[in-house]
Amino acid sequence: MIIDISNLHASVNGTEIIKGLNLQIGPGEVHAIMGPNGSGKSTLAQTLAGKSDYEVTAGTVTYKGADLLALEADERARAGLFLGFQYPVEIPGVSNVYMLKAALNARRKAKGLAEIDSVEFMRFVREKAKLMQLDQSFLSRGVNEGFSGGEKKRNEIFQMAVLEPDLAILDETDSGLDIDALKVVANGVNAQRDGERAFLLITHYQRLLDYIKPDYVHVLANGRIVRSGTHELALELEANGYDGVLAAAG
Amino acid sequence: MAAQHSIQLPADDIRAVWQSAGLSNGVLGGLRSAALDEFLHAGLPGTRNESWKYTNIKRLADELTDYLQYKAPAEPDGSAALDLPDAIHLTFVDGVFSPERSDQKGLPDNVKLTSLADLAEAEPATLQSLFGRLARTHDSALVALNTAFAGNGVALVIADGTTLARPVCITYRSSQANAAAQPRLLVSLGQGSKATVVEHFCSAHPVFVNPVAELHCAADSSLDYYKLQAEHAETWHTAVQYIAAENNARIRTTHVDYGGALARNELKLALKGRGAHAESRGLFMADGTRHVEARLDVRHEAPDTTSRERYRGILAGRARGVFNGRIYVGQDAQKTAAELTNRNLLLSKGAEINTKPELEIYADDVKCAHGSTTGQLDATSLFYLLSRGVDKPTARNMLITAFAAELLTDISVPIIAELARNALESLQADTGGIRT
């Protein structure tokens, strides 16, 4: 088991958003969480990543056998958890490559590996940038500085490819992408599927799942998973809408 | 009789000190004597004076006579000149130009570098045309003080059409505690000429440094000016630069401030000729209980003049910062475009900033904007870096460095950006009452 979430309750500013959520993800699995706006999708992603203003009030999260909730956000990342942001942040003055090198070396150190050699690092990131069809000039630019919406999302997947996480949580990585950009992003994710690495895709639309085939699909409503199924469930959502599926779920 | 809102000074004592310092001789002597009268009449500004509201120099006033007491410059201590191998290096010790510690050889024929005393002897008319023309003693008590007590300063005169490829780097050093330095710099850029001037203040003792620089930029000239203030931690530093830009002159100024106990810099920029353009940027940093003030007064006096001012402050510990930026657009200055921004970062609960950007516009066809923000490190940016596995201290450092680095791009004297980075690192060590 990569992650085992049990009876998770989480609040933001005193308002409970996640209300008793259970989810297990095994190695190599791709899970998709779908749900209407306000169902708690992004809160779940940010809570798992360790955002400090998200308070866990009950439940447990076991990640690779350890208590995830006892770790700070940076420790979770170094332990191989990656969050692809719905709204990637622009950080002018910190170059992409500088941030990535610091991040990668921090992760390597946590694994007991030596710092990566600079030449080797550049070769590695160039290869990954090429995969995501990001121009080499993006590497030296400020993090997401002046990037278009699509470029930002590609940059998230690029970072994921460089950091090689054990569990990648991708929060609405498909939103705001045209079909070509969606394919690039999906290719980037699929290239990272190796039978070990697990993915949690958070999305509003089933369109992404045409390109990244999930093993399981869950419907999140009002802070809980109300239905789980296979890819068929996503197609049912597409056909009947959330209202229809939620009504059927009672 | 001191002017309103000023601090009373022991006028008789100061006059006696002045007389014993032998400053009354020659062409400069007359100017000094008149300036002394003005200074004693004006007194030092108190905090009821609007432009000194947040910067209190009462304690300096109490000790002023002792500071002003004549002390012959000795061998200077501490930091040497900036590592600029190509530069023409000039040195001041305790506010007085030190020719024996300065390069005066190898200058192009069209560039004149001379002490003010030599200039006063050789070309009194040139001196008169440059000295005190921009820095008026009756406008500022500190200019009057500088003028009254100015030892030998330096003049750099660049002929029309001359490009001085090597930067001129002036290092202001100290040789003893409790000295008062009143350095004076005159720069004249001829029509179509080009120069880079770097002023580096690095006292190694607790002293009072009160520099005045006057820079005249003729039509089509281009000035790249840098000032690095890295004074001793107990030094008082009150500086003013006057820059006048004629038609189509291009001015760029970069101020980096991180030293001193109390440091105040005032940049007075007058865009006098049509099409003159100025870019001014400043980075001021303080930690501990330091006080730093950046003042900017940009006057658009002619049509089609443009300016952009970007100032950033970073304050840690219990430091206090003050920013005051004013853009004035005169009646004739149609088609002026000006943009003034000030952003500040407070790294601790005890740090404080008072910021006031101002516009004063008398022309009707202008495009002017100003803005100011003050805050802590952006929590979302911090979380983004953490979520990549970067530890918190490193992530904070990255964001703080980025805040400064954004301003210090395109620097023709890279050592200044490097020193600013080093200063930032020690600033971050002051984590007393850290935020987030």
Side-chain angles (χ1 to χ4, degrees):
Chain A
M1 198 63 63
I2 295 278
I3 196 166
D4 183 352
I5 305 169
S6 173
N7 188 34
L8 184 69
H9 289 255
S11 301
V12 182
N13 298 325
T15 305
E16 190 171 64
I17 310 286
I18 303 296
K19 303 170 182 175
L21 184 138
N22 297 292
L23 179 68
Q24 284 100 37
I25 302 177
E29 293 175 1
V30 176
H31 290 239
I33 287 193
M34 303 184 69
N37 289 329
S39 57
K41 298 191 300 291
S42 281
T43 302
L44 175 64
Q46 307 236 14
T47 302
L48 293 177
K51 190 156 192 204
S52 55
D53 34 359
Y54 289 60
E55 194 195 351
V56 174
T57 54
T60 58
V61 181
T62 307
Y63 171 75
K64 296 197 294 182
D67 178 7
L68 184 74
L69 302 176
L71 303 178
E72 297 290 335
D74 54 321
E75 294 170 323
R76 296 181 195 193
R78 290 197 293 275
L81 187 144
F82 179 87
L83 172 64
F85 278 54
Q86 182 180 4
Y87 303 108
V89 184
E90 293 198 24
I91 314 179
V94 176
S95 78
N96 262 312
V97 71
Y98 181 69
M99 178 192 73
L100 267 180
K101 196 173 179 195
L104 182 62
N105 278 329
R107 173 128 165 78
R108 288 176 65 94
K109 200 174 160 193
K111 282 188 190 167
L113 298 173
E115 289 205 347
I116 191 167
D117 169 76
S118 289
V119 178
E120 171 66 13
F121 173 72
M122 284 316 294
R123 192 195 58 74
F124 181 61
V125 293
R126 286 206 180 98
E127 177 195 311
K128 301 293 183 187
K130 204 171 162 191
L131 174 74
M132 292 313 297
Q133 301 182 15
L134 281 170
D135 193 275
Q136 300 292 326
S137 68
F138 277 46
L139 296 175
S140 54
R141 276 165 62 184
V143 174
N144 292 316
E145 188 183 3
F147 288 19
S148 71
E151 286 165 347
K152 284 179 184 170
K153 295 299 178 73
R154 264 152 52 200
N155 194 23
E156 293 294 288
I157 303 304
F158 161 65
Q159 291 177 31
M160 178 190 79
V162 170
L163 296 174
E164 301 183 319
D166 298 318
L167 172 64
I169 303 167
L170 304 180
D171 188 6
E172 304 217 13
T173 298
D174 53 332
S175 67
L177 294 186
D178 63 27
I179 195 71
D180 292 334
L182 186 67
K183 282 181 184 166
V184 172
V185 162
N187 283 340
V189 172
N190 289 329
Q192 292 288 301
R193 292 178 73 167
D194 60 359
E196 286 298 319
R197 185 166 295 124
F199 292 86
L200 179 59
L201 309 176
I202 292 176
T203 182
H204 192 76
Y205 302 104
Q206 104 75 33
R207 189 179 65 156
L208 176 70
L209 308 182
D210 287 339
Y211 298 95
I212 308 172
K213 289 280 185 289
D215 299 304
Y216 301 96
V217 173
H218 311 277
V219 180
L220 186 68
N222 197 24
R224 309 177 62 166
I225 289 178
V226 294
R227 265 191 77 183
S228 294
T230 60
H231 190 206
E232 298 301 313
L233 177 57
L235 299 172
E236 188 187 332
L237 280 169
E238 178 90 334
N240 302 339
Y242 285 109
D243 289 346
V245 171
L246 294 178
Chain B
M1 232 322 259
Q4 212 186 350
H5 301 331
S6 64
I7 305 167
Q8 290 289 337
L9 295 172
D12 294 342
D13 296 351
I14 290 174
R15 196 176 286 280
V17 163
W18 185 83
Q19 271 154 357
S20 66
L23 293 162
S24 58
N25 302 324
V27 179
L28 289 170
L31 292 167
R32 288 181 187 127
S33 170
L36 180 69
D37 291 342
E38 298 230 43
F39 173 65
L40 293 177
H41 175 75
L44 281 176
T47 51
R48 289 182 63 196
N49 180 312
E50 189 56 33
S51 60
W52 288 83
K53 192 171 169 185
Y54 300 107
T55 299
N56 191 338
I57 53 171
K58 173 76 172 67
R59 216 163 49 77
L60 171 66
D62 293 344
E63 297 165 12
L64 189 64
T65 314
D66 291 338
Y67 276 118
L68 293 175
Q69 195 79 48
Y70 180 74
K71 302 167 190 81
E75 189 59 33
D77 285 332
S79 52
L82 291 179
D83 183 15
L84 287 171
D86 293 344
I88 298 157
H89 285 283
L90 309 179
T91 304
F92 279 62
V93 179
D94 298 345
V96 180
F97 177 51
S98 174
E100 65 276 19
R101 294 181 182 85
S102 301
D103 308 331
Q104 290 185 91
K105 287 184 193 135
L107 289 175
D109 291 344
N110 298 330
V111 175
K112 186 189 302 168
L113 186 66
T114 159
S115 79
L116 295 187
D118 291 346
L119 187 65
E121 292 245 324
E123 295 177 50
T126 306
L127 180 80
Q128 301 272 11
S129 73
L130 298 175
F131 189 102
R133 298 306 289 259
L134 302 173
R136 305 294 182 106
T137 52
H138 61 260
D139 290 342
S140 154
L142 287 163
V143 169
L145 175 62
N146 172 284
T147 308
F149 283 87
N152 202 1
V154 82
L156 174 70
V157 181
I158 300 174
D160 291 355
T162 303
T163 294
L164 181 54
R166 299 166 64 194
V168 176
C169 179
I170 307 156
T171 309
Y172 297 89
R173 304 174 69 181
S174 66
S175 76
Q176 58 202 312
N178 304 318
Q182 309 288 350
R184 191 81 177 217
L185 172 68
L186 304 180
V187 174
S188 170
L189 262 64
Q191 207 165 328
S193 69
K194 256 184 170 171
T196 299
V197 175
V198 182
E199 290 198 275
H200 175 209
F201 292 88
C202 51
S203 55
H205 308 84
V207 290
F208 168 40
V209 183
N210 181 44
V212 174
E214 295 177 88
L215 303 102
H216 302 256
C217 302
D220 303 310
S221 65
S222 172
L223 170 69
D224 198 5
Y225 172 86
Y226 293 87
K227 179 181 174 232
L228 179 65
Q229 186 275 107
E231 300 276 28
H232 183 274
E234 291 166 70
T235 285
W236 298 85
H237 179 97
T238 53
V240 57
Q241 303 88 44
Y242 292 82
I243 301 179
E246 301 299 341
N247 288 8
N248 297 315
R250 288 277 171 280
I251 311 294
R252 191 169 73 155
T253 64
T254 305
H255 284 77
V256 175
D257 269 270
Y258 56 78
L262 180 147
R264 172 177 153 124
N265 192 81
E266 212 172 344
L267 171 62
K268 289 176 163 288
L269 228 161
L271 301 173
K272 291 170 159 319
R274 181 184 280 270
H277 173 74
E279 291 266 344
S280 295
R281 55 185 170 178
L283 176 65
F284 54 91
M285 301 175 259
D287 58 5
T289 56
R290 295 171 196 262
H291 180 105
V292 60
E293 175 166 8
R295 296 186 74 84
L296 181 67
D297 183 16
V298 178
R299 295 179 66 86
H300 289 259
E301 295 175 359
D304 303 318
T305 49
T306 49
S307 74
R308 187 160 77 127
E309 295 79 21
R310 292 176 301 152
Y311 273 69
R312 291 192 176 188
I314 305 177
L315 299 155
R318 290 189 292 124
R320 193 163 183 189
V322 183
F323 174 79
N324 187 289
R326 177 168 165 270
I327 293 178
Y328 167 94
V329 180
Q331 224 173 338
D332 300 327
Q334 299 296 358
K335 308 279 183 199
T336 283
E339 192 190 337
L340 165 67
T341 56
N342 167 233
R343 288 178 60 191
N344 306 299
L345 199 52
L346 301 180
L347 298 180
S348 68
K349 286 196 175 81
E352 198 182 312
I353 177 91
N354 287 288
T355 172
K356 191 177 177 192
E358 297 174 76
L359 294 176
E360 196 178 327
I361 301 174
Y362 297 100
D364 46 26
D365 185 10
V366 302
K367 218 166 100 183
C368 294
H370 71 2
S372 161
T373 59
T374 294
Q376 298 124 55
L377 288 177
D378 179 53
T380 316
S381 301
L382 193 61
F383 176 59
Y384 191 82
L385 293 174
L386 295 176
S387 79
R388 294 318 184 229
V390 179
D391 65 75
K392 204 171 205 175
T394 308
R396 280 177 55 87
N397 285 0
M398 279 184 184
L399 293 176
I400 296 166
T401 308
F403 180 81
E406 259 191 290
L407 195 71
L408 298 180
T409 53
D410 187 24
I411 280 197
S412 62
V413 190
I415 184 79
I416 290 185
E418 196 180 315
L419 289 167
R421 269 196 299 277
N422 294 346
L424 264 179
E425 268 167 36
S426 57
L427 194 74
Q428 288 160 34
D430 188 2
T431 52
I434 209 156
R435 288 186 196 238
T436 56

